[in-house]
Amino acid sequence: MTHRGRHRRRRRSRALRGALTGAALALTAAATMISTSQAEVADGPGGLKPLTASADTARLDLTEHQVPRRWLGRLSASMGSPVGVDTVLASADRTLRPTDDCTDTERESLPIAPSATRAYCWDDADTSGWSPGAVTTSADADDDGRWGADEVILSAWSREDSATGGRVARVSFVDADGSGRPRYTSALLVLPVDGGRDYRPLASTVTGMVWYQDKLLVTADAGDRNALYVYDLNRIQRASADTTAVGRVTGGWSAGGHRYVLPAVASYAAGSAPGAARPDVLSLDRGTAPDSLVAAESVPVDEDRPTRLWRYPFSTDPDRTGLPAVDSAGRTEVREAYRTRARGVRGVLSYQEAGTARPQWYLGAAVGTPDGRGTLWRADPHGARATECGADRSQRCWSGTAGSLSYAPRTGEVWSQSGHTLFALPLDSVDDALG
């Protein structure tokens, strides 16, 4: 990817903000509502500390396990030919609400500084009982920002499901066609079992997600032996039975009421040695060669230990499109790693401005109070700074529930999600707020 200069991105962001002045004013109205607890200035986490010892970086390695192709073939033979993202978007039957139709509570979850320039709220009936997760876009899939003819946003959701007796997770496909009311529909994330004769739901929250080339990489929580699952977006399967069950049922295949399922094609297991880390949040960095999967763990704010940030290189093998690189033993090894004193990290980005010596790391973090806003840090080995807001220069200016971060180079925007609100803002505005 060819990086565009800061001055070009600033022209785009100014044009975007000018076109959406009314929305921007509505989104910044919450700036007058900073509580006393939010006004306290947090101590900075300091600069990033490189992890260079092999004993430290080895704790971050993953081991790949491919789902046998015969399993996937058997599933497709029974369920019918897979469909693509364009087919899923064409059947979109839900609508996101524009900012003006969001409730006051939904708007209060948006960042104060910098403010969002695009924001939408999810269909209440469709998301009731579901918890929001990570966000990625077709800008991750391809550097022209599109998947075929479409601009697409993917949003992960999970919930406890009485029909399966556990947790289920889904991905919502949003047709980001530029309208004020984007349409979307969802597919359930599943894992093939019994040799491809059945599938079960991914019983996990999805706090990290990246769409790279034709693959969707998602995190799994600590209750799963695997840290990452990979889904092939050319292998979306139609459900044929509309029941609450998940898997093979009498007369067909069910997806818990959804029209589509995404069966996993690979998984990545974290190490079991003491100190091994699982990636909790993800993003894509196209500024490295090859492109890299950026990861961070989310250390609880009340634990006295550092947070680790790292990256895995993607494979350049044309037979392994969208997959991390592996060695002969199937291990995905870390290429670069750091530790930081920032805790509660829920979103991570690594971005290097053209002509600069090193990338900047952006960390969206929770603050540990139920009603508190998050903090957005920009960090490198020399130090860290947070965005500030209000007369008292509070650092608690980020979204109400800090979420994953996904950067779209073509527009210069960062996408994220807080509660039931999906929003975007220019990365330039983050840098401007940081000074």
Side-chain angles (χ1 to χ4, degrees), residues 147-230:
W147 183 251
D150 301 303
E151 291 190 29
V152 190
I153 302 168
L154 302 185
S155 172
W157 298 79
S158 63
R159 73 174 183 189
E160 295 297 330
D161 185 70
S162 58
T164 62
R167 201 158 191 86
V168 297
R170 73 183 189 190
V171 170
S172 295
F173 291 71
V174 181
D175 186 355
D177 60 359
S179 72
R181 295 179 178 273
R183 297 168 60 248
Y184 73 95
T185 193
S186 302
L188 201 69
L189 297 177
V190 300
L191 311 177
V193 296
D194 192 21
R197 298 176 183 85
D198 205 347
Y199 55 74
R200 66 172 178 84
L202 173 65
S204 177
T205 58
V206 177
T207 53
M209 182 166 66
V210 162
W211 179 1
Y212 184 63
Q213 297 178 351
D214 59 351
K215 302 298 192 300
L216 184 66
L217 298 91
V218 307
T219 58
D221 57 32
D224 196 310
R225 69 180 182 87
N226 291 307
L228 286 178
Y229 285 94
V230 180

Side-chain angles (χ1 to χ4, degrees), residues 6-196:
R6 182 181 298 276
H7 63 288
R8 295 179 64 189
R9 291 193 291 114
R10 282 181 172 161
R11 285 200 298 271
R12 287 196 301 270
S13 65
R14 283 197 295 269
L16 179 62
R17 287 194 287 266
L20 297 169
T21 300
L25 289 173
L27 297 177
T28 56
T32 61
M33 302 176 64
I34 303 172
S35 68
T36 301
S37 63
Q38 288 174 317
E40 298 170 358
V41 177
D43 292 333
L48 305 180
K49 306 299 183 184
L51 296 175
T52 57
S54 58
D56 292 329
T57 57
R59 294 188 179 102
L60 309 175
D61 293 346
L62 302 174
T63 301
E64 180 182 87
H65 301 280
Q66 295 268 357
V67 174
R69 295 185 69 85
R70 66 181 182 278
W71 289 29
L72 299 170
R74 185 176 287 136
L75 195 61
S76 294
S78 181
M79 296 189 72
S81 297
V83 301
V85 174
D86 56 342
T87 299
V88 175
L89 292 177
S91 67
D93 56 353
R94 298 285 182 173
T95 305
L96 287 165
R97 290 171 285 133
T99 309
D100 289 346
D101 290 347
C102 297
T103 66
D104 289 344
T105 299
E106 288 169 333
R107 284 193 289 266
E108 286 169 9
S109 70
L110 292 164
I112 293 175
S115 61
T117 49
R118 284 204 270 177
Y120 307 96
C121 295
W122 293 91
D123 183 306
D124 286 335
D126 182 56
T127 55
S128 178
W130 291 84
S131 298
V135 172
T136 184
T137 77
S138 52
D140 277 356
D142 192 283
D143 57 10
D144 74 353
R146 293 180 176 274
W147 183 251
D150 301 303
E151 291 190 29
V152 190
I153 302 168
L154 302 185
S155 172
W157 298 79
S158 63
R159 73 174 183 189
E160 295 297 330
D161 185 70
S162 58
T164 62
R167 201 158 191 86
V168 297
R170 73 183 189 190
V171 170
S172 295
F173 291 71
V174 181
D175 186 355
D177 60 359
S179 72
R181 295 179 178 273
R183 297 168 60 248
Y184 73 95
T185 193
S186 302
L188 201 69
L189 297 177
V190 300
L191 311 177
V193 296
D194 192 21

Side-chain angles (χ1 to χ4, degrees), residues 78-79 197-199 238-243 247-255:
S78 181
M79 296 189 72
R197 298 176 183 85
D198 205 347
Y199 55 74
R238 294 181 188 268
S240 55
D242 185 12
T243 76
R248 190 159 200 161
V249 296
T250 302
W253 297 85
S254 182

